[in-house]
Amino acid sequence: MSVNETISAVTEKIITRSRAPRNRYLGKIDAAIALTPKRKALGCANIAHGFAACGPHDKTALRNGNAPNLAIVTAYNDMLSAHQPFETYPAMIRGAARAVGGTAQVAGGVPAMCDGVTQGETGMELSLFSRDVIALSAAVALSHQMFDAAVYLGVCDKIVPGLIIGALSFGHLPAVFIPAGPMTSGLPNDEKAKIRQLHAEGKVGREQLLEAEALSYHGPGTCTFYGTANSNQMLMEIMGLHLPGSTFVNPNTPLRDAITRESAKRALSITALGNDYQPIGRIYDEKAVVNGVVGLLATGGSTNHTMHLIAMAAAAGIALTWEDLAELSRAVPLMARIYPNGKADVNHFNAAGGMGFLIRELLGAGLLHEDVRTIMGAGLSGYTREARLGPDGELVYADAVHASADDKVLRGARDPFQPTGGLNVLTGNLGASVIKTSSIPADRHVVEAPAKVFHSQEELQAAFRAGELDSDMVAVVRFQGPKANGMPELHRLTPPLAVLQERGYRVALVTDGRMSGASGKVPAAIHLTPEAVDGGPIARIRDGDLIRLDAGAGTLEVLADLSAREAVKADLSANNAGTGRELFQAFRRIAGRADQGASVFEAV
């Protein structure tokens, strides 16, 4: 199947635009490649420090041999449900490495914060920047030059993008990402959302709300809705950085353990010491980036990736833009309905056919590049398979199903839920923003209403409780961008705005802040740039200004003349201290724009 014209054209634009930085990046990789372990060039004291605590077998291998040594970079902690399973992975990985004549060491840990715990709290103002801290931490872990490849244990929102950026800074090393999988299904997500809305209206108490949340988030693994964490996992597989079929297997199962062991063995088989060298910097190229965007659009994935994908690509010398995402969205159909875009969760998606079916359908429609490198070698067609458990507990593969087991959850490319992707970019006299269209009812794609302006989500919640929002409106929540307060997710806006919409009002949100992958069914123009703290047009909006949001046309306009108005300033001093925020003042000063990845790193 030939590649779709739009997919091909956008890819060529990215390649042309990226030529200079990409060549610089590849030159850096080539300069770092060594066909013997780097550790063999270390001084005697250096290498002795590196294996001092190893057991006898590993110490001998590291001291005398050329056997490959595997770095384990882990985001384990037992506060995050998604990361708790990683506690047992290092021992499993070390055992798998020894079985093939290699060694493995935990090279370092990276922080892993839970956006679910910090939602609406001051700690959320550290969340976005934690991505770049994770990248820095991964680089520190690998800086010892003891390793021939690395495996990365991470799942959630900022953690996988941060690990990718860190891994790409060591782009000469092969990299295999190992997920932990989603928790088993609990209280259905739409039932949980109803309880949240009832609580926002004061119709149920805290105890009922807590019980619903506990029944939903009930065990180890990722949250089962299709937010950033599960979008991360989809991306790693469709970009060829997971083993095929490994993404949505539940934790603490024999199949999950077999995948973990095989992932370690695969990482050791693709080092520069062997005949199948696959460095991540070569795998992660322009075609792989486009494949990731296509996957995100086809599944209605998290809006956070409109920033993360750009920051990740930049780390490999690839210049991806929001315009690329918008153009691709017009060519990629929406093939999945997973909450908040539908009632199903990721376990239902996996049961319906999962990643193997999705990738086969997209390849068959010419919407993915097949001619890419992956950790499995050449070609993405190797990912049209399902992982199974063999008779002796080993990992085996079978072809993915040829028909979806549930067309309410997952459909083929020729019979999609909608002909265009789940995300769109809005432009107009307010700047550029992103909207998640897949979860919005068709009759809400256009909203024109007066603005009501707030400087925090708490202000909007107070106005809602006071009964001041019962009308058509566009809520403008500003001074929420990267430079203002670190760009926290504004998840607490979802219940009151959803209540107002269900009461029949025409409601939308415009903000320079973030909303999560669970942003709900209210039209939300988010990540608006330039942000208010930079004097963007959003800082000139006043209550009553008419705003028109048109998701179909891709436009966001204020129907008022802002040219003679001064940009409003905000007192942000309260955001500079407490919960560790004082340590991130330098990050806020140098953070880039949302449409450039909101990163603190300079481009390659």
Side-chain angles (χ1 to χ4, degrees):
M1 174 65 70
S2 59
V3 178
N4 173 279
E5 287 184 9
T6 299
I7 306 298
S8 180
V10 172
T11 305
E12 285 304 313
K13 283 197 293 187
I14 295 170
I15 291 171
T16 300
R17 184 192 309 135
S18 306
R19 186 161 286 122
R22 180 66 176 168
N23 285 340
R24 287 195 296 272
Y25 176 76
L26 294 176
K28 184 181 76 168
I29 289 179
D30 292 342
I33 292 171
L35 300 180
T36 56
K38 286 268 189 180
R39 60 187 170 276
K40 295 196 77 172
L42 297 177
C44 292
N46 305 69
I47 189 69
H49 277 291
F51 61 63
C54 292
H57 174 273
D58 291 351
K59 186 175 289 188
T60 300
L62 287 168
R63 177 172 180 162
N64 300 326
N66 290 317
N69 187 34
L70 184 61
I72 304 169
V73 181
T74 178
Y76 162 72
N77 67 50
D78 60 11
M79 185 198 69
L80 272 74
S81 62
H83 287 211
Q84 185 274 338
F86 288 141
E87 181 176 14
T88 61
Y89 278 32
M92 246 189 295
I93 291 166
R94 282 191 287 266
R98 290 173 189 140
V100 294
T103 54
Q105 297 175 291
V106 174
V110 304
M113 66 182 294
C114 180
D115 287 1
V117 174
T118 57
Q119 286 288 356
E121 303 296 329
T122 55
M124 175 55 79
E125 295 181 18
L126 278 59
S127 174
L128 179 59
F129 292 143
S130 75
R131 179 194 67 192
D132 296 355
V133 172
I134 289 160
L136 294 168
S137 301
V140 170
L142 297 174
S143 67
H144 300 94
Q145 301 190 94
M146 288 284 294
F147 309 108
D148 304 291
V151 291
Y152 296 88
L153 313 184
V155 174
C156 286
D157 295 19
K158 265 55 70 186
I159 297 141
V160 168
L163 289 172
I164 282 281
I165 294 168
L168 289 168
S169 71
F170 285 76
H172 61 288
L173 293 179
V176 175
F177 282 69
I178 306 181
M183 68 177 68
T184 55
S185 300
L187 182 73
N189 285 294
D190 60 333
E191 291 185 30
K192 174 193 67 182
K194 289 175 186 175
I195 297 295
R196 285 179 174 176
Q197 289 182 206
L198 290 170
H199 181 262
E201 294 178 275
K203 294 179 179 178
V204 302
R206 177 180 170 83
E207 190 58 38
Q208 288 172 275
L209 176 63
L210 181 57
E211 180 64 14
E213 300 288 356
L215 290 171
S216 181
Y217 309 119
H218 63 91
T222 60
C223 308
T224 59
F225 66 85
Y226 196 48
T228 313
N230 287 314
S231 297
N232 283 338
Q233 304 314 302
M234 178 280 301
L235 284 169
M236 293 303 97
E237 185 157 342
I238 208 166
M239 288 180 167
L241 295 171
H242 275 175
L243 259 61
S246 64
T247 293
F248 295 124
V249 175
N250 300 123
N252 303 322
T253 60
L255 178 56
R256 171 54 67 199
D257 291 349
I259 288 168
T260 299
R261 290 190 293 268
E262 190 60 33
S263 295
K265 293 176 183 178
R266 186 61 193 165
L268 288 167
S269 73
I270 57 175
T271 73
L273 307 182
N275 298 318
D276 189 20
Y277 178 43
Q278 302 289 349
I280 185 176
R282 293 284 181 180
I283 290 175
Y284 198 92
D285 65 4
E286 295 91 341
K287 290 183 178 180
V289 168
V290 169
N291 283 353
V293 174
V294 169
L296 189 76
L297 296 167
T299 55
S302 170
T303 53
N304 282 324
H305 275 294
T306 61
M307 292 184 296
H308 296 329
L309 281 167
I310 289 173
M312 291 154 60
I318 298 168
L320 180 69
T321 69
W322 278 2
E323 289 74 20
D324 298 327
L325 271 63
E327 194 169 348
L328 290 168
S329 185
R330 291 190 284 272
V332 177
L334 180 68
M335 296 165 56
R337 286 283 189 197
I338 318 170
Y339 186 85
N341 309 330
K343 293 185 177 181
D345 66 25
V346 294
N347 292 310
H348 303 133
F349 167 80
N350 198 47
M355 292 299 300
F357 175 85
L358 177 80
I359 291 171
R360 179 196 287 128
E361 285 292 310
L362 288 168
L363 282 171
L367 295 169
L368 289 174
H369 294 286
E370 201 282 332
D371 57 335
V372 292
R373 294 170 69 165
T374 76
I375 61 168
M376 304 303 292
L380 192 61
S381 56
Y383 281 74
T384 61
R385 301 181 293 167
E386 291 182 355
R388 302 278 180 86
L389 204 61
D392 298 318
E394 77 279 16
L395 182 65
V396 298
Y397 282 100
D399 288 342
V401 296
H402 287 269
S404 170
D406 189 346
D407 64 7
K408 294 182 177 63
V409 178
L410 179 62
R411 293 186 181 179
R414 291 167 182 80
D415 181 32
F417 292 101
Q418 66 183 46
T420 55
L423 299 172
N424 203 1
V425 176
L426 307 178
T427 58
N429 62 5
L430 287 176
S433 61
V434 172
I435 190 168
K436 186 169 185 174
T437 56
S438 54
S439 60
I440 304 171
D443 64 346
R444 298 283 172 165
H445 280 210
V446 178
V447 175
E448 184 175 310
K452 291 191 177 181
V453 182
F454 306 93
H455 287 184
S456 71
Q457 58 183 339
E458 290 77 18
E459 285 185 11
L460 186 145
Q461 286 181 304
F464 172 77
R465 289 192 294 267
E468 297 170 0
L469 304 184
D470 289 312
S471 64
D472 292 352
M473 70 156 186
V474 174
V476 177
V477 184
R478 60 193 180 194
F479 295 101
Q480 303 299 310
K483 291 184 179 179
N485 62 356
M487 207 179 192
E489 283 186 349
L490 307 174
H491 194 52
R492 285 189 173 179
L493 295 175
T494 303
L497 293 176
V499 168
L500 293 169
Q501 181 167 276
E502 289 197 358
R503 289 175 181 171
Y505 299 116
R506 306 291 293 180
V507 179
L509 171 67
V510 173
T511 181
D512 49 9
R514 290 190 297 128
M515 294 284 278
S516 74
S519 53
K521 301 181 184 301
V522 175
I526 61 177
H527 307 177
L528 183 63
T529 183
E531 63 175 288
V533 81
D534 278 340
I538 189 175
R540 294 177 170 83
I541 296 174
R542 295 175 182 166
D543 284 344
D545 287 343
L546 203 60
I547 295 177
R548 180 178 175 83
L549 182 158
D550 189 330
T555 57
L556 177 66
E557 302 273 349
V558 58
L559 307 181
D561 183 5
L562 306 183
S563 59
R565 296 183 190 172
E566 289 288 325
V568 171
K569 306 290 184 183
D571 180 5
L572 299 171
S573 59
N575 302 96
N576 292 333
T579 330
R581 288 177 292 174
E582 53 268 66
L583 302 177
F584 286 78
Q585 290 186 50
F587 280 57
R588 290 191 291 273
R589 284 195 295 270
I590 64 174
R593 290 163 48 128
D595 59 348
Q596 296 169 355
S599 176
V600 302
F601 301 129
E602 294 183 3
V604 173

